[in-house]
Amino acid sequence: MNNEALIRYKFYLCRKFLDKLFDDKLITKSQMRKLENAVIKRLAGV
């Protein structure tokens, strides 16, 4: 598996988890966007 595919898969898993938290009303849309941006920065630094 190449590095780009691995990063995409990790982000997919993260996004799925954040969607679940949002659907359960544990986080707001704003918090979800902030977490997504933090994850993207983290994955890009790998």
Side-chain angles (χ1 to χ4, degrees):
M1 200 183 239
N2 68 18
N3 197 30
E4 183 180 340
L6 190 60
I7 289 171
R8 286 178 185 266
Y9 182 68
K10 286 180 181 180
F11 183 71
Y12 165 77
L13 292 176
C14 176
R15 179 61 194 243
K16 193 172 177 179
F17 178 70
L18 290 176
D19 284 340
K20 172 117 177 73
L21 291 177
F22 179 71
D23 290 342
D24 292 344
K25 304 215 184 316
L26 297 174
I27 61 173
T28 64
K29 195 68 163 174
S30 174
Q31 289 171 320
M32 189 169 140
R33 275 189 245 111
K34 287 179 184 176
L35 289 168
E36 282 178 351
N37 287 335
V39 167
I40 289 170
K41 286 180 184 176
R42 174 78 174 160
L43 289 176
V46 168

